[in-house]
Amino acid sequence: MGCFASKNGDTKASRTARWRSTGIVALRDSKLKTFPDEVLELDRSVRTLDLTHNRIVDIPVEISKLINVQRLVLAENLIERLPMNLGKLQSLKLMNLDGNRITFLPDELGQLVRLERLSVSGNSLTFLPTTIGSLRNLVLLNVSNNKLQSLPESVGSCFSLEELQANDNVIEDLPSSVCNLSHLKSLCLDNNNVKLIPLNLLKDCKALQNISLHGNPISMDQFQRMEGFQEFEARRKKKFDKQIESNVMIGSKGLDVGVDL
């Protein structure tokens, strides 16, 4: 841990007073190599903490003092592991750990029951903890650009999940439990080794509007023969029709069916 040198000449007292007043600590691009002690001293006052694009390696166990933090953004650092007491951050709704060196997520992740958005893209994860299924309020899960070979069966218990991004891994198949994700709207699995997806995926995931499987060995023919394909296609087209009506531009190739031909 260490101290932070202000860029604009703020005294420590005035800076701390501002952070305590607003609940927002923003220290992006501050050349930090260690987690700032003065942030930990704020304990219950911090609601948003953004330490993006520094050179922090370790997250101290004392981070558990920040029991009211709702948004924790630690993207683009050099973090290799997370503290085991991470689960004490019971107010956390958003956690962004993109672009670090994390090799595993602790089981205690499942204790973050209020978490709505979790992004850990661009790390070195080879698996996800089974406790991820305890995140019943999770709406977005982004695990792209890792080394995942599979997703745990328990992911099907993330009943609020609307968007699942797992591009650029080495995933070979999906657990059948993803069919339980009745609120899932977008499933992105580009550049994996997926040969098959659960047979009932399109039938059971009635909210699904987008599925992207580019760069996988699954064929368009396989996809079109799945039960529920026509209903999925109707939802997808309805979504794009709404975007056209809202003057949202579509690429020159037209509507993307999400599977390489």
Side-chain angles (χ1 to χ4, degrees), residues 232-250:
F232 163 74
E233 186 73 353
R235 290 193 301 271
R236 186 179 64 82
K237 288 184 176 179
K238 183 177 181 180
K239 172 191 173 185
F240 279 109
D241 286 345
K242 286 183 178 179
Q243 288 180 334
I244 292 172
E245 290 173 4
S246 302
N247 296 317
V248 176
M249 296 298 292
I250 294 179

mmCIF file of all heavy atoms in Angstrom, residues 232-250:
data_model
loop_
_atom_site.group_PDB
_atom_site.id
_atom_site.type_symbol
_atom_site.label_atom_id
_atom_site.label_comp_id
_atom_site.label_asym_id
_atom_site.label_seq_id
_atom_site.Cartn_x
_atom_site.Cartn_y
_atom_site.Cartn_z
ATOM 1 N N PHE A 232 -36.699 -17.236 -32.725
ATOM 2 C CA PHE A 232 -35.509 -16.427 -32.464
ATOM 3 C C PHE A 232 -35.285 -15.432 -33.593
ATOM 4 O O PHE A 232 -35.011 -14.253 -33.361
ATOM 5 C CB PHE A 232 -34.282 -17.331 -32.306
ATOM 6 C CG PHE A 232 -32.968 -16.601 -32.447
ATOM 7 C CD1 PHE A 232 -32.504 -15.769 -31.429
ATOM 8 C CD2 PHE A 232 -32.206 -16.726 -33.604
ATOM 9 C CE1 PHE A 232 -31.300 -15.090 -31.562
ATOM 10 C CE2 PHE A 232 -31.006 -16.051 -33.738
ATOM 11 C CZ PHE A 232 -30.552 -15.227 -32.721
ATOM 12 N N GLU A 233 -35.410 -15.907 -34.826
ATOM 13 C CA GLU A 233 -35.203 -15.051 -35.988
ATOM 14 C C GLU A 233 -36.191 -13.895 -35.999
ATOM 15 O O GLU A 233 -35.844 -12.751 -36.322
ATOM 16 C CB GLU A 233 -35.332 -15.888 -37.260
ATOM 17 C CG GLU A 233 -35.009 -15.161 -38.554
ATOM 18 C CD GLU A 233 -33.525 -14.897 -38.735
ATOM 19 O OE1 GLU A 233 -32.734 -15.147 -37.807
ATOM 20 O OE2 GLU A 233 -33.160 -14.410 -39.816
ATOM 21 N N ALA A 234 -37.418 -14.161 -35.617
ATOM 22 C CA ALA A 234 -38.440 -13.111 -35.576
ATOM 23 C C ALA A 234 -38.083 -12.051 -34.527
ATOM 24 O O ALA A 234 -38.235 -10.850 -34.773
ATOM 25 C CB ALA A 234 -39.798 -13.726 -35.272
ATOM 26 N N ARG A 235 -37.590 -12.506 -33.363
ATOM 27 C CA ARG A 235 -37.194 -11.550 -32.316
ATOM 28 C C ARG A 235 -36.017 -10.702 -32.773
ATOM 29 O O ARG A 235 -35.970 -9.496 -32.539
ATOM 30 C CB ARG A 235 -36.824 -12.296 -31.023
ATOM 31 C CG ARG A 235 -37.982 -12.937 -30.301
ATOM 32 C CD ARG A 235 -37.573 -13.370 -28.899
ATOM 33 N NE ARG A 235 -36.472 -14.311 -28.884
ATOM 34 C CZ ARG A 235 -36.605 -15.636 -28.936
ATOM 35 N NH1 ARG A 235 -37.824 -16.165 -29.042
ATOM 36 N NH2 ARG A 235 -35.555 -16.432 -28.883
ATOM 37 N N ARG A 236 -35.063 -11.373 -33.435
ATOM 38 C CA ARG A 236 -33.866 -10.663 -33.895
ATOM 39 C C ARG A 236 -34.232 -9.584 -34.907
ATOM 40 O O ARG A 236 -33.747 -8.448 -34.837
ATOM 41 C CB ARG A 236 -32.880 -11.665 -34.501
ATOM 42 C CG ARG A 236 -31.530 -11.079 -34.879
ATOM 43 C CD ARG A 236 -30.627 -12.165 -35.455
ATOM 44 N NE ARG A 236 -31.176 -12.696 -36.686
ATOM 45 C CZ ARG A 236 -31.026 -12.114 -37.888
ATOM 46 N NH1 ARG A 236 -30.353 -10.995 -37.981
ATOM 47 N NH2 ARG A 236 -31.540 -12.654 -38.971
ATOM 48 N N LYS A 237 -35.094 -9.932 -35.848
ATOM 49 C CA LYS A 237 -35.491 -8.963 -36.872
ATOM 50 C C LYS A 237 -36.299 -7.822 -36.274
ATOM 51 O O LYS A 237 -36.150 -6.666 -36.677
ATOM 52 C CB LYS A 237 -36.286 -9.669 -37.963
ATOM 53 C CG LYS A 237 -35.415 -10.555 -38.850
ATOM 54 C CD LYS A 237 -36.217 -11.173 -39.984
ATOM 55 C CE LYS A 237 -35.302 -11.975 -40.910
ATOM 56 N NZ LYS A 237 -36.055 -12.603 -42.019
ATOM 57 N N LYS A 238 -37.128 -8.154 -35.287
ATOM 58 C CA LYS A 238 -37.917 -7.111 -34.633
ATOM 59 C C LYS A 238 -37.008 -6.117 -33.935
ATOM 60 O O LYS A 238 -37.227 -4.900 -33.975
ATOM 61 C CB LYS A 238 -38.872 -7.753 -33.631
ATOM 62 C CG LYS A 238 -39.803 -6.759 -32.944
ATOM 63 C CD LYS A 238 -40.776 -7.488 -32.011
ATOM 64 C CE LYS A 238 -41.714 -6.495 -31.339
ATOM 65 N NZ LYS A 238 -42.675 -7.189 -30.429
ATOM 66 N N LYS A 239 -35.943 -6.635 -33.311
ATOM 67 C CA LYS A 239 -34.981 -5.770 -32.637
ATOM 68 C C LYS A 239 -34.320 -4.819 -33.635
ATOM 69 O O LYS A 239 -34.226 -3.608 -33.396
ATOM 70 C CB LYS A 239 -33.911 -6.621 -31.953
ATOM 71 C CG LYS A 239 -32.755 -5.815 -31.383
ATOM 72 C CD LYS A 239 -31.607 -6.715 -30.957
ATOM 73 C CE LYS A 239 -30.386 -5.895 -30.558
ATOM 74 N NZ LYS A 239 -29.224 -6.753 -30.257
ATOM 75 N N PHE A 240 -33.884 -5.360 -34.784
ATOM 76 C CA PHE A 240 -33.224 -4.510 -35.772
ATOM 77 C C PHE A 240 -34.197 -3.540 -36.431
ATOM 78 O O PHE A 240 -33.823 -2.425 -36.779
ATOM 79 C CB PHE A 240 -32.518 -5.370 -36.823
ATOM 80 C CG PHE A 240 -31.178 -5.884 -36.363
ATOM 81 C CD1 PHE A 240 -30.986 -7.216 -36.070
ATOM 82 C CD2 PHE A 240 -30.107 -5.011 -36.224
ATOM 83 C CE1 PHE A 240 -29.764 -7.684 -35.631
ATOM 84 C CE2 PHE A 240 -28.866 -5.470 -35.796
ATOM 85 C CZ PHE A 240 -28.695 -6.810 -35.493
ATOM 86 N N ASP A 241 -35.446 -3.955 -36.588
ATOM 87 C CA ASP A 241 -36.451 -3.035 -37.127
ATOM 88 C C ASP A 241 -36.606 -1.822 -36.219
ATOM 89 O O ASP A 241 -36.723 -0.684 -36.688
ATOM 90 C CB ASP A 241 -37.795 -3.751 -37.278
ATOM 91 C CG ASP A 241 -37.814 -4.713 -38.459
ATOM 92 O OD1 ASP A 241 -36.907 -4.616 -39.315
ATOM 93 O OD2 ASP A 241 -38.716 -5.572 -38.512
ATOM 94 N N LYS A 242 -36.589 -2.077 -34.915
ATOM 95 C CA LYS A 242 -36.703 -0.968 -33.963
ATOM 96 C C LYS A 242 -35.492 -0.061 -34.058
ATOM 97 O O LYS A 242 -35.595 1.166 -33.950
ATOM 98 C CB LYS A 242 -36.841 -1.505 -32.541
ATOM 99 C CG LYS A 242 -38.208 -2.100 -32.241
ATOM 100 C CD LYS A 242 -38.296 -2.552 -30.792
ATOM 101 C CE LYS A 242 -39.677 -3.108 -30.479
ATOM 102 N NZ LYS A 242 -39.773 -3.584 -29.060
ATOM 103 N N GLN A 243 -34.318 -0.658 -34.273
ATOM 104 C CA GLN A 243 -33.103 0.146 -34.385
ATOM 105 C C GLN A 243 -33.141 1.010 -35.641
ATOM 106 O O GLN A 243 -32.722 2.164 -35.633
ATOM 107 C CB GLN A 243 -31.876 -0.761 -34.416
ATOM 108 C CG GLN A 243 -31.575 -1.398 -33.067
ATOM 109 C CD GLN A 243 -30.359 -2.288 -33.111
ATOM 110 O OE1 GLN A 243 -30.012 -2.824 -34.151
ATOM 111 N NE2 GLN A 243 -29.708 -2.461 -31.974
ATOM 112 N N ILE A 244 -33.665 0.454 -36.740
ATOM 113 C CA ILE A 244 -33.778 1.220 -37.975
ATOM 114 C C ILE A 244 -34.734 2.391 -37.785
ATOM 115 O O ILE A 244 -34.468 3.516 -38.215
ATOM 116 C CB ILE A 244 -34.264 0.313 -39.129
ATOM 117 C CG1 ILE A 244 -33.163 -0.701 -39.474
ATOM 118 C CG2 ILE A 244 -34.622 1.139 -40.360
ATOM 119 C CD1 ILE A 244 -33.610 -1.767 -40.457
ATOM 120 N N GLU A 245 -35.851 2.122 -37.101
ATOM 121 C CA GLU A 245 -36.822 3.184 -36.843
ATOM 122 C C GLU A 245 -36.220 4.287 -35.992
ATOM 123 O O GLU A 245 -36.616 5.450 -36.081
ATOM 124 C CB GLU A 245 -38.049 2.599 -36.133
ATOM 125 C CG GLU A 245 -38.888 1.708 -37.026
ATOM 126 C CD GLU A 245 -39.995 1.002 -36.256
ATOM 127 O OE1 GLU A 245 -40.131 1.288 -35.045
ATOM 128 O OE2 GLU A 245 -40.702 0.185 -36.848
ATOM 129 N N SER A 246 -35.247 3.906 -35.157
ATOM 130 C CA SER A 246 -34.588 4.891 -34.302
ATOM 131 C C SER A 246 -33.359 5.499 -34.974
ATOM 132 O O SER A 246 -32.547 6.152 -34.321
ATOM 133 C CB SER A 246 -34.166 4.230 -32.982
ATOM 134 O OG SER A 246 -35.278 3.681 -32.328
ATOM 135 N N ASN A 247 -33.219 5.237 -36.270
ATOM 136 C CA ASN A 247 -32.104 5.771 -37.063
ATOM 137 C C ASN A 247 -30.753 5.271 -36.583
ATOM 138 O O ASN A 247 -29.745 5.982 -36.666
ATOM 139 C CB ASN A 247 -32.111 7.309 -37.054
ATOM 140 C CG ASN A 247 -33.347 7.865 -37.709
ATOM 141 O OD1 ASN A 247 -33.771 7.389 -38.756
ATOM 142 N ND2 ASN A 247 -33.936 8.871 -37.077
ATOM 143 N N VAL A 248 -30.708 4.051 -36.082
ATOM 144 C CA VAL A 248 -29.446 3.431 -35.721
ATOM 145 C C VAL A 248 -28.886 2.762 -36.957
ATOM 146 O O VAL A 248 -29.554 1.982 -37.620
ATOM 147 C CB VAL A 248 -29.641 2.381 -34.597
ATOM 148 C CG1 VAL A 248 -28.323 1.672 -34.307
ATOM 149 C CG2 VAL A 248 -30.161 3.062 -33.338
ATOM 150 N N MET A 249 -27.646 3.062 -37.302
ATOM 151 C CA MET A 249 -27.053 2.534 -38.519
ATOM 152 C C MET A 249 -26.710 1.058 -38.374
ATOM 153 O O MET A 249 -26.277 0.603 -37.328
ATOM 154 C CB MET A 249 -25.770 3.304 -38.860
ATOM 155 C CG MET A 249 -26.017 4.764 -39.188
ATOM 156 S SD MET A 249 -27.057 4.982 -40.646
ATOM 157 C CE MET A 249 -25.938 4.382 -41.909
ATOM 158 N N ILE A 250 -26.913 0.305 -39.465
ATOM 159 C CA ILE A 250 -26.521 -1.098 -39.540
ATOM 160 C C ILE A 250 -25.360 -1.205 -40.514
ATOM 161 O O ILE A 250 -25.282 -0.454 -41.486
ATOM 162 C CB ILE A 250 -27.703 -1.968 -40.011
ATOM 163 C CG1 ILE A 250 -28.811 -1.945 -38.955
ATOM 164 C CG2 ILE A 250 -27.271 -3.392 -40.281
ATOM 165 C CD1 ILE A 250 -30.020 -2.754 -39.336
#
